[in-house]
Structures are given as structure tokens and as C-alpha cells.
Amino acid sequence: MIKVDNLSYSFPQKNLYNNISFSLEDGQHCAFIGRNGNGKSTLIDIIMNPERYMFDGKLEMDPNCRIGYVSQFSQIEERKDTTVYEYVAEEFIKLQNQITSICTEMETSMDIDTLLEKYQQALDAFNAIGGDDFESIINKKLNLANLTRHKDLMISELSGGEFKLIQVIKEMFSNPDLMIMDEPDVFLDFENLNSLKDLINSHKGTLLVITHNRYLLNHCFNKILHLENMELQEFDGRFIDYNFSLLQTKIELQELAMADSEEIERNAKLIDKLREIATDDSEAARGKSLKARVKIQERLEARRIKEPFLDIKQPNISFDIDNKTENIIALKVNDYSVSYDEMLLQNVNIEIKSTDKVAIIGSNGTGKTTLLRSIFKNNSDSIEISPEIKMAYLSQHQGETLNESNTIFEEFFDAGFKTYAEIKSYISNYGFEGEILDHKIGSLSGGEKNVLQLAKVSASKANMLLLDEPTSHLDTYSQIALEKAIENYKGAILMISHDYYLISNCMDYVLIVEDKTLRKMSMKKFRRKIYANHFDRDYLEVEQKKKSIETKIELALKDTNFELAKALSEELEELIKLL
């Protein structure tokens, strides 16, 4: 369906791709992964609008290929006065009206042949997307996404997550040859994420999906495209098998690299000795021997294995605090209520200690973000914050905490940093290198903006963090780095998240939205609830064992114990077969 051959493309200040090649076949469900800011969204735009770009290489695609697209950004405001049914059925209704109009025109027109041709074209298009059975098809899709009850609601009455699913359904109904989705999972709650998984797996056509969601990656795709450091590799198979393949290759290459390093070290010592001898003895043979050894050393250095997909640098996220408190009450919320057109939260009572790590969970649109924002602004009589507590806030709406017209340098200068060198040194820990400090924040990817938010939160050295969907848009490497930072943090955290892995690995307990209030739930009960409603219990238990073995392999590689790493990889392979 698509063939890309040796494609290269650069912005004025950044090289994105260096002779990348891949193909996409009919019916494949392909996940497109890679670190934030590497150019995934740009590559998708090149595929959709090649005439806008001056690139080297070839992009081959059927000129009649119809592409459906779901953006990572919702446009809910544009269609808020339309019902869900009208929005989803727009193409059906348009063609139906067109056919009716042509039939009416035929009754009085003399140019029947032209109208018959138009009628046939419209009828073919109508039949291609389900024809007379379209209401039944719509009902089946809405039922699959658990949205049948919303069929007659206005778009404005949907949560952001529900509207995202409706966008996916609408694009699927247009029956595209290729459907492209850019991070369709962002901000979806557990129920909607499961619905998205079901929609993806039910789709019979070709899919290309940018995603960093570990649950979707492990459940939905049979091909992987991985973009790193201007290079791309493709893998036919599951994401879990791709990761295992990377790990096996890493073990083999590190063992070879170590052997090379030992040989390079021996050769370097010999060169040093030859240089000493050559200094004392001007005999020509000594000089030739030295030159020969230097050439051998250059060849050894050149063959050092440098694989862009193996040793990917994680951002160095860490949350330090200026004022470490004992186990005091950091936050009290007493009889808090909030409403818009209807009551969202009522009589909320919570108490957070200065070392508690707590996740707020619940369906999209239930008032969680409003509560967190109220706590940060401290603008309600129902909220009490200890005078010893300093808060930092990460917003799911990145423009709340980042000035997108600022450069990165200006943003951190405004945050209290003193010099360009200080900002450059600090921000390099988060993966921002070189000239990027002078880039406007508005030009960055969603993931890069979230990493910047994390860098600002860290720089505040606050002893209580309010995090609203902190993993949204983050690549998997940044998600894992964030998990480590949260695990090591000594202050309090109140976090809204739908990321099962982050909650399960890092939180002490959860506050779940039920009956318009918050109820405390232990991690044990939370896991049981998630197992029952959204996940497969055996799958998640095997996932935990898998993570434990992968950690042991990483430690074995750090100790250069390659025999242990190989033995553990065999154990891991058997475990993966269970998935």
C-alpha cells in the first residue's frame, strides 16, 4: 500500500530522517513508536501531504488511496451543536441526500445520461460504506465502544475521551484504504481505552497509529515501525516480540563491544609503548610499526557497534525537595463540591499526608481536573494546605504552565535560572540538546512539552506535586524515567492518571470517583477492580514477572555478566510465550 525508499528530510535547524525505508501492506495494523520530537507526526504529514515537503528519496502510494485521519488534538468545539449520530453518520447522510436530489432532478431534466452517471457514482460510494445497512453498522460500532447510550446526545455533552472514540468511529465509517491515528489514546480513561482497543482490533483495513500506550502496544498491532536518531527500522510481529528481539540483540552486541573494547585497550597500550620507543629510536621500521598499529586502532574504533535502537537515552527526571517535612497533614479537603451544568463532585472529603502518593481515578468529565486546579490555586474555603507545603503543578493543558510563545531558554529564565549555560546544563538532563534552547515552545511536540513541564516541576523543588495526566504524550522511555522519579520522590503526590502501569507501580492508594464523590481504595482492591473490568488477570501477572526479569537482565549487563543475561533471556522467552 505504501513504500518509502531512502527518504531524508530536514528542518532548517534539525535533521529528522536519514535514508529511511519501510513498507506498509494491506490489512496490517502498524504501531509507529519512538522518542518524543523525533519526527513521527511530521512523517505522517509527509505521507498525507507529500506535495508540501521537499524531501529526498521516494514515497510510492496509489494515487487513489483514501486516507482517514484522527489527530492527537480534539476539535470538539467545531461540532458541539451536532448530535453524535449526525456526526458519525455525516458521510452516509450526505450521500443519501445527494442520491435523493439526483432522483428529484431526473424527474424534470432532459440530460438524463449525465444524471444517471452522477447517480451511479453516488450509489457506488454509498454502497462502499455500508449503504442501506448504515444505521445497523453505526449501532454495532457504538455498542462496541460502549457508547450506544450517547447516540442522541449533542457533541458538546461528551467528555474529551468519548469524543475521541467518536472521531475514530467516524473515520472508520468513511471506509479509508489507510487509516492514520496520532496518539488517539491520550487522556482516555480505562473504559474508553479498552473501547479503543476493541475498535482497533475490529478494523479490517490498514492502520498506522502513533502511540506510546503500553496496553495498546501489547494488544493491538502486528507490525512495528521504530524511529530513533534519524533512522527507522521495521519489525513484522507483536510489540512484545520486538522488545524481546531488541533485548537479545543488546546482549549479543554488548558482549561483542566489550571484546572490542578489550582489544582496543590492549592496542592502545602497545601504541603508547611504540611511541616511547619511536621517540628514543628514529629507526624507520619503528615508525612503520607505529603507523600500522594506529591504523589497526582506527579500524577497531570504526567497527564499534553503535545501534540507535538499543541504548536509547532516557531523560534524567528527578524530583528533589527543599523542605522535607515529617509525616504531617499536607492537604485537607472538606465538603468540596463543584458543578457546571450539573453537579460533578459533591461533599468530597480527603486528607493527604506529606509522604502519601495518591492517584485520583474516574471516568472522563467527572471533575477531577477542576479539583486539582482548585487545590493548586487554593481558591476554595473547602481546601486547607499546610504552611510547610510548597506545591508544583503539571497540567494536562500544557498552555496553563508553559508560555508557548517563549523559547525554552526564556521559559526557564522566567522560572528563576540565571544564565544560558545554567539552563543548557539543566535542560540537557531532559534530552534537550544543542540549538533547541532557542526554539519556541509552541513548535515542540506534545511529548516534548510534557517533558518540559516535568523539568519545571523538578526545578521548583516543591514538597507536594499535583500531576494531571503526567504520562500523556510521553514516549515509553520517558514514562519509565517518570516512574523511577516518582518512586524516589520523598514528598507528597496527588496525581490524576489513567495509566495503569504508573498507578500500579508507584502509588500508595487511589481515590476513585464514585457517586460524585471520592472514595479511598487500597492498591490491592484497585488491582482487583481493574482485573475484573478492564484487563486480563493472567496477562497482567505475567507482565509483572516479565518486568522483574527484564530488570535482572539490565543489572546483569551492567555487571558485564553475559552468561547470566543470556540465561535470563531464555527464561523471559518462555514467559513471553504465555502472552
Side-chain angles (χ1 to χ4, degrees):
M1 176 171 287
I2 294 176
K3 186 175 182 182
V4 172
D5 192 28
N6 290 323
L7 187 145
S8 297
Y9 178 71
S10 301
F11 286 134
Q13 293 180 311
K14 186 175 183 180
N15 295 324
L16 283 184
Y17 323 119
N18 180 29
N19 293 325
I20 64 171
S21 300
F22 68 92
S23 61
L24 197 58
E25 305 296 334
D26 285 342
Q28 285 186 317
H29 285 190
C30 179
F32 192 8
I33 64 172
R35 281 184 302 168
N36 298 131
N38 270 6
K40 297 183 297 297
S41 294
T42 301
L43 185 57
I44 274 179
D45 200 45
I46 289 174
I47 291 170
M48 293 174 62
N49 304 288
E51 68 283 350
R52 292 184 189 172
Y53 295 86
M54 295 290 291
F55 56 84
D56 295 325
K58 289 183 179 180
L59 168 59
E60 297 178 15
M61 186 166 56
D62 187 329
N64 297 317
C65 177
R66 289 175 294 108
I67 297 178
Y69 177 63
V70 177
S71 168
Q72 60 180 290
F73 305 108
S74 293
Q75 297 91 26
I76 195 166
E77 287 302 315
E78 296 176 11
R79 307 299 299 273
K80 63 181 182 180
D81 296 327
T82 306
T83 68
V84 168
Y85 177 80
E86 289 167 343
Y87 178 77
V88 171
E90 183 178 43
E91 187 65 18
F92 291 101
I93 294 169
K94 176 184 170 184
L95 288 168
Q96 197 174 47
N97 290 340
Q98 189 177 340
I99 290 168
T100 302
S101 175
I102 293 169
C103 289
T104 302
E105 195 176 347
M106 280 180 177
E107 293 175 4
T108 57
S109 174
M110 301 295 291
D111 190 5
I112 296 297
D113 290 342
T114 301
L115 288 174
L116 279 173
E117 186 177 345
K118 287 183 179 179
Y119 175 82
Q120 192 60 51
Q121 289 173 348
L123 187 62
D124 289 345
F126 187 67
N127 290 333
I129 57 176
D132 294 328
D133 199 31
F134 74 87
E135 284 196 58
S136 173
I137 296 171
I138 287 174
N139 288 334
K140 285 177 182 176
K141 284 288 185 187
L142 289 174
N143 184 57
L144 185 65
N146 198 28
L147 293 172
T148 304
R149 64 193 184 280
H150 296 336
K151 181 178 176 181
D152 297 320
L153 291 182
M154 305 301 286
I155 289 292
S156 56
E157 297 178 83
L158 301 178
S159 70
E162 289 166 343
F163 180 63
K164 179 67 73 174
L165 292 178
I166 293 298
Q167 284 183 295
V168 171
I169 290 171
K170 178 181 171 66
E171 288 302 316
M172 285 182 172
F173 277 139
S174 69
N175 199 27
D177 299 305
L178 169 65
M179 183 159 171
I180 295 176
M181 296 193 277
D182 192 350
E183 298 194 46
D185 49 89
V186 172
F187 305 134
L188 295 190
D189 60 33
F190 294 124
E191 184 176 339
N192 288 335
L193 184 64
N194 232 28
S195 295
L196 177 60
K197 180 201 75 172
D198 291 340
L199 285 171
I200 289 173
N201 289 337
S202 71
H203 188 63
K204 304 301 182 186
T206 308
L207 283 172
L208 179 59
V209 183
I210 295 177
T211 183
H212 307 298
N213 187 283
R214 288 171 277 185
Y215 180 58
L216 291 183
L217 284 170
N218 284 332
H219 285 82
C220 297
F221 302 100
N222 54 22
K223 184 184 179 77
I224 307 296
L225 293 181
H226 187 179
L227 180 66
E228 294 292 346
N229 304 319
M230 299 188 294
E231 297 186 33
L232 184 143
Q233 69 179 4
E234 55 184 330
F235 179 85
D236 289 321
R238 302 182 303 167
F239 177 73
I240 197 167
D241 295 319
Y242 173 66
N243 268 345
F244 180 66
S245 175
L246 283 185
L247 190 56
Q248 281 186 310
T249 306
K250 185 174 183 178
I251 294 169
E252 294 167 6
L253 294 185
Q254 283 196 11
E255 189 171 20
L256 286 171
M258 185 175 178
D260 276 354
S261 295
E262 290 170 354
E263 180 63 23
I264 288 167
E265 189 177 343
R266 283 194 298 272
N267 208 53
K269 288 177 180 177
L270 186 53
I271 287 171
D272 289 340
K273 285 181 182 178
L274 287 170
R275 282 199 174 114
E276 287 176 17
I277 295 169
T279 303
D280 298 331
D281 186 347
S282 59
E283 189 178 317
R286 304 286 187 191
K288 286 180 182 178
S289 180
L290 175 59
K291 285 180 181 178
R293 277 290 159 187
V294 168
K295 285 184 178 179
I296 290 171
Q297 186 77 343
E298 288 173 351
R299 283 198 298 273
L300 285 168
E301 289 284 359
R303 64 170 267 196
R304 273 187 192 266
I305 297 157
K306 297 169 184 156
E307 291 291 332
F309 304 98
L310 297 178
D311 291 312
I312 297 166
K313 186 180 178 184
Q314 290 180 358
N316 184 20
I317 302 170
S318 64
F319 298 130
D320 299 321
I321 56 178
D322 274 337
N323 179 25
K324 185 179 177 183
T325 59
E326 298 301 323
N327 201 18
I328 64 169
I329 302 301
L331 167 71
K332 280 186 179 180
V333 177
N334 303 298
D335 295 327
Y336 174 88
S337 299
V338 63
S339 63
Y340 289 106
D341 294 333
E342 62 176 309
M343 185 65 69
L344 295 178
L345 291 172
Q346 190 172 21
N347 300 327
V348 170
N349 293 277
I350 59 175
E351 188 174 278
I352 307 294
K353 294 180 181 177
S354 56
T355 56
D356 285 349
K357 295 172 184 175
V358 185
I360 302 176
I361 65 170
S363 300
N364 295 129
T366 51
K368 304 183 298 298
T369 291
T370 304
L371 170 61
L372 207 66
R373 193 181 286 123
S374 294
I375 292 170
F376 180 64
K377 292 181 177 179
N378 196 11
N379 60 2
S380 169
D381 293 337
S382 300
I383 296 169
E384 297 177 30
I385 300 169
S386 167
E388 296 181 53
I389 291 298
K390 177 185 177 183
M391 289 185 171
Y393 177 54
L394 182 145
S395 173
Q396 64 168 280
H397 306 290
Q398 297 161 333
E400 276 191 89
T401 60
L402 299 173
N403 183 346
E404 298 206 350
S405 63
N406 271 350
T407 64
I408 295 176
F409 167 74
E410 290 167 341
E411 187 74 14
F412 281 83
F413 188 80
D414 292 346
F417 287 77
K418 303 299 182 187
T419 66
Y420 191 91
E422 183 186 4
I423 294 171
K424 185 175 182 179
S425 174
Y426 177 74
I427 209 70
S428 67
N429 293 320
Y430 291 81
F432 295 96
E433 305 281 357
E435 303 299 321
I436 199 168
L437 261 71
D438 299 317
H439 290 192
K440 295 284 188 184
I441 288 174
S443 70
L444 303 178
S445 71
E448 288 175 310
K449 290 175 188 175
N450 239 27
V451 172
L452 272 188
Q453 281 202 94
L454 290 169
K456 284 189 70 176
V457 165
S458 178
S460 73
K461 297 189 176 179
N463 53 9
M464 184 169 188
L465 308 182
L466 305 177
L467 308 177
D468 191 355
E469 301 280 10
T471 57
S472 65
H473 303 294
L474 290 187
D475 60 52
T476 50
Y477 313 105
S478 299
Q479 289 174 35
I480 292 168
L482 175 60
E483 283 184 17
K484 291 176 183 175
I486 288 175
E487 285 173 11
N488 295 327
Y489 180 59
K490 304 304 180 186
I493 292 176
L494 185 59
M495 175 183 79
I496 297 170
S497 181
H498 299 116
D499 186 324
Y500 171 82
Y501 298 90
L502 183 67
I503 295 171
S504 187
N505 293 337
C506 300
M507 295 293 105
D508 297 324
Y509 60 90
V510 301
L511 296 170
I512 185 167
V513 180
E514 285 185 349
D515 299 323
K516 299 184 180 179
T517 192
L518 294 183
R519 181 169 66 85
K520 186 174 179 179
M521 180 181 286
S522 70
M523 290 306 302
K524 185 176 181 180
K525 285 186 178 179
F526 167 71
R527 290 190 183 99
R528 194 182 304 141
K529 178 182 176 70
I530 295 300
Y531 287 153
N533 295 339
H534 303 292
F535 293 89
D536 177 80
R537 181 185 182 88
D538 292 337
Y539 176 87
L540 287 171
E541 288 181 351
V542 173
E543 260 292 313
Q544 291 298 316
K545 292 176 184 176
K546 174 177 165 288
K547 182 181 176 183
S548 173
I549 296 173
E550 287 171 343
T551 302
K552 290 176 184 177
I553 291 173
E554 291 295 333
L555 291 172
L557 290 176
K558 281 183 182 177
D559 294 336
T560 64
N561 188 341
F562 298 111
E563 291 305 314
L564 176 58
K566 289 175 186 176
L568 287 167
S569 74
E570 290 176 6
E571 186 180 339
L572 182 61
E573 185 174 19
E574 291 304 311
L575 199 60
I576 286 172
K577 289 177 182 177
L578 299 176
L579 295 169

